Amino acid sequence: MAGWLLAIGWQGSIVGLSFVAGTIVQGLIALHDPTYEPQQWHGTLLVIAAVTIAISVNVFLSKTLPMAEIPILILHVLGLFAIIIPLLVKAPKNDARTALLTVTNSGGWQTTGTSFMVGLLSALSSMMGFDCAVHMSEEVKNASQTLPKAILWGAGLNAILGYLCVFTLCFTMTDIPRLLDSATGFPFLQLFSDATGSNAGTAVMAAIVIVTLIMAVVSEVATASRQIWAFSRDDGLPFSKFLRRVRPGWNIPLNALWISFAFGIIIALINLGSSVALNAIVSLTISALLSSYILSIGCILSKRLRGEALPLSRFSLGKYGMATNIIALMFLIPFFIFCFFPTARPVDRETMNWNIAMFGGITIFATVWYLLGGKEIYRPPVLIQNRALQDEE
């Protein structure tokens, strides 16, 4: 089940980030041309363009990806300061009490706490995906030690940068109603424009965000394709024989990449018929990834509580392992529940969060597939590992 949810989550995240990047472009056009009327097919074409770029880089430039990550990391860090410094220098400021203690309930919820939790879901996606590197482990030297350290460094660095960004926004968003009513569709674009007083300056700041998002899509395509390739190698998916095939001369899971491409295009085309359906699929990404984390961490915690030995590893949290598992679950479970909430009240067909229906459908399908035949062919990784150890003995 965790494998299915993870596969759906990563495939959906490709479209989700592409959709954000594409609609930011539309917002910039609206900022420069007040007569522009965004159309759904415009956004769909921009999503397809972003997905196509990401797939092309993964297919034709796969050997350069490790080196390309270095300038992107530099852009990620320096680009943040290129955004927050102009805001801190030129934008009007809130006082500390307003910036840090005032909570605005614009969703129609009866309590501020509920509004707060639902509002945090928008930022939650930026706190996920640190397992991205794990799915590339078979292409990393000394992965059992390198990847845990990379994840910790990535989480630590982005936590610091994230807090800098959040505090900057809290102090510089002085006119929230104006930002929310922006014709760009993105409050931060209006904030950039108000602070700089320049469309060109706003475009440069937004370009940093767009480029970073597209490169994140490139990384997510690599992750999503490796995940379904590895899962199909264990016969965990339908058509696994096709998905796990690596063609001679190609050191990449090409078939899995084409499936990710097709999946992205199909989901993007859904936007032509219903933006509600596309938003539900994007929301499904969060719930699917969260549930896969909860299942994985829950299984580890269960073994710890029962005193069972964990698989041998070269990296361990030692005596802090159980506490870390418990804290992680205490953080994840509430967010998993709230990710099925609609963003605002009252709720109608357009504002309903249909994520719950899609999540239920995926879990039911995966369960039925497993019971009707999947359990006969699925080979969990631990089984393969045990057989390898027996062969060595």
Side-chain angles (χ1 to χ4, degrees):
M1 183 60 69
W4 273 84
L5 293 169
L6 200 59
I8 293 297
W10 277 112
Q11 295 296 325
S13 68
I14 295 173
V15 180
L17 278 184
S18 300
F19 183 71
V20 173
T23 47
I24 292 175
V25 173
Q26 286 185 286
L28 278 176
I29 297 173
L31 183 66
H32 286 76
D33 182 6
T35 64
Y36 171 67
E37 296 183 5
Q39 302 293 326
Q40 286 181 261
W41 65 271
H42 297 169
T44 299
L45 289 178
L46 288 169
V47 171
I48 293 175
V51 174
T52 302
I53 291 172
I55 292 291
S56 300
V57 171
N58 273 274
V59 172
F60 302 109
L61 301 174
S62 59
K63 293 182 179 180
T64 65
L65 276 180
M67 294 302 298
E69 295 291 342
I70 297 175
I72 294 302
L73 175 61
I74 295 173
L75 175 66
H76 175 64
V77 176
L78 298 184
L80 176 68
F81 288 98
I83 290 173
I84 65 175
I85 290 176
L87 292 178
L88 290 173
V89 172
K90 305 196 68 174
K93 309 295 189 301
N94 288 314
D95 59 79
R97 183 178 182 83
T98 300
L100 302 178
L101 299 179
T102 301
V103 179
T104 303
N105 184 354
S106 302
W109 297 101
Q110 295 180 348
T111 65
T112 302
T114 303
S115 177
F116 178 81
M117 291 299 294
V118 173
L120 278 179
L121 295 176
S122 300
L124 186 62
S125 58
S126 64
M127 301 168 64
M128 299 191 305
F130 287 106
D131 62 311
C132 179
V134 174
H135 305 295
M136 305 291 293
S137 59
E138 295 184 61
E139 301 173 47
V140 176
K141 294 181 179 179
N142 197 21
S144 59
Q145 286 187 321
T146 302
L147 291 182
K149 294 178 182 178
I151 293 172
L152 290 175
W153 275 103
L157 175 63
N158 283 286
I160 296 171
L161 297 179
Y163 276 116
L164 288 174
C165 182
V166 168
F167 283 131
T168 300
L169 294 177
C170 287
F171 276 94
T172 56
M173 293 191 302
T174 56
D175 190 352
I176 293 178
R178 170 178 167 76
L179 299 179
L180 293 177
D181 293 336
S182 173
T184 66
F186 286 92
F188 76 86
L189 287 180
Q190 190 64 52
L191 178 63
F192 291 173
S193 177
D194 292 346
T196 62
S198 165
N199 285 348
T202 302
V204 172
M205 295 166 73
I208 296 172
V209 179
I210 293 169
V211 172
T212 304
L213 284 172
I214 292 178
M215 291 310 300
V217 177
V218 172
S219 297
E220 293 202 345
V221 165
T223 297
S225 60
R226 269 62 172 187
Q227 194 276 331
I228 61 173
W229 170 77
F231 196 32
S232 62
R233 184 181 55 188
D234 301 331
D235 289 310
L237 292 169
F239 311 109
S240 289
K241 185 176 293 187
F242 171 80
L243 290 172
R244 65 172 176 255
R245 185 183 305 158
V246 177
R247 300 183 183 182
W250 295 83
N251 293 321
I252 55 175
L254 194 58
N255 290 354
L257 281 166
W258 292 134
I259 291 298
S260 297
F261 180 61
F263 193 86
I265 298 298
I266 291 171
I267 295 180
L269 291 175
I270 292 175
N271 188 48
L272 295 175
S274 172
S275 60
V276 176
L278 177 64
N279 289 332
I281 293 173
V282 173
S283 181
L284 174 64
T285 297
I286 297 178
S287 59
L289 289 176
L290 283 178
S291 59
S292 70
Y293 301 158
I294 291 170
L295 285 173
S296 301
I297 297 172
C299 289
I300 294 294
L301 180 59
S302 176
K303 291 181 73 68
R304 291 184 188 276
L305 292 174
R306 289 182 293 180
E308 298 180 8
L310 296 176
L312 295 176
S313 65
R314 298 176 64 188
F315 181 90
S316 174
L317 294 173
K319 61 181 180 180
Y320 301 107
M322 182 178 293
T324 302
N325 295 154
I326 294 173
I327 293 172
L329 290 178
M330 290 174 62
F331 176 83
L332 292 170
I333 292 174
F335 280 112
F336 175 70
I337 295 171
F338 277 100
C339 73
F340 297 110
F341 278 48
T343 55
R345 297 180 62 193
V347 181
D348 55 26
R349 186 178 67 86
E350 296 294 323
T351 59
M352 170 65 181
N353 187 349
W354 296 101
N355 173 21
I356 184 66
M358 302 190 70
F359 183 86
I362 292 295
T363 53
I364 291 172
F365 179 84
T367 302
V368 171
W369 180 84
Y370 180 78
L371 294 176
L372 292 183
K375 63 182 179 180
E376 304 297 334
I377 60 175
Y378 175 60
R379 300 170 297 162
V382 66
L383 179 63
I384 299 174
Q385 182 184 37
N386 291 339
R387 286 180 178 175
L389 291 175
Q390 292 174 359
D391 291 342
E392 291 179 3
E393 294 175 355

